[in-house]
Amino acid sequence: LLSDLADKIQPIDLKTHDRVVFNANEETPILICAHGEVKLKNEAQEVAVLKKEDVFGDLFIDGEVPRITEAVA
């Protein structure tokens, strides 16, 4: 499982106010915040805020994982 995950990791460096847009029709990605803070949104609604060393995704959340459409640094 871990080796499968490692093959799919795509590091992204974001500067303040940079954003990454996700397709709402696809599976929720697994996100790991290495530095700073990232706001996760579904349309205009803030779903979560990740801080250094926080993770987000179906492997890390009990229950239903909220859909996200963008991540904003």
Side-chain angles (χ1 to χ4, degrees), residues 15-67:
K15 294 179 175 46
T16 303
H17 304 295
D18 280 356
R19 57 183 74 231
V20 176
V21 177
F22 301 100
N23 184 338
N25 296 324
E26 294 180 1
E27 289 184 18
T28 302
I30 295 171
L31 302 170
I32 303 168
C33 183
H35 304 283
E37 182 177 288
V38 178
K39 293 179 182 176
L40 305 180
K41 297 182 176 186
N42 183 353
E43 302 303 330
Q45 182 180 4
E46 191 172 291
V47 173
V49 177
L50 301 183
K51 296 184 180 184
K52 183 178 179 181
E53 299 179 3
D54 285 346
V55 294
F56 179 89
D58 59 356
L59 293 177
F60 306 99
I61 297 175
D62 288 334
E64 188 175 333
V65 178
R67 287 282 179 200

Side-chain angles (χ1 to χ4, degrees), residues 1-13 29-34 55 59-60:
L1 179 65
L2 191 54
S3 62
D4 291 339
L5 238 135
D7 291 341
K8 297 176 183 176
I9 292 175
Q10 297 178 340
I12 300 172
D13 291 323
I30 295 171
L31 302 170
I32 303 168
C33 183
V55 294
L59 293 177
F60 306 99

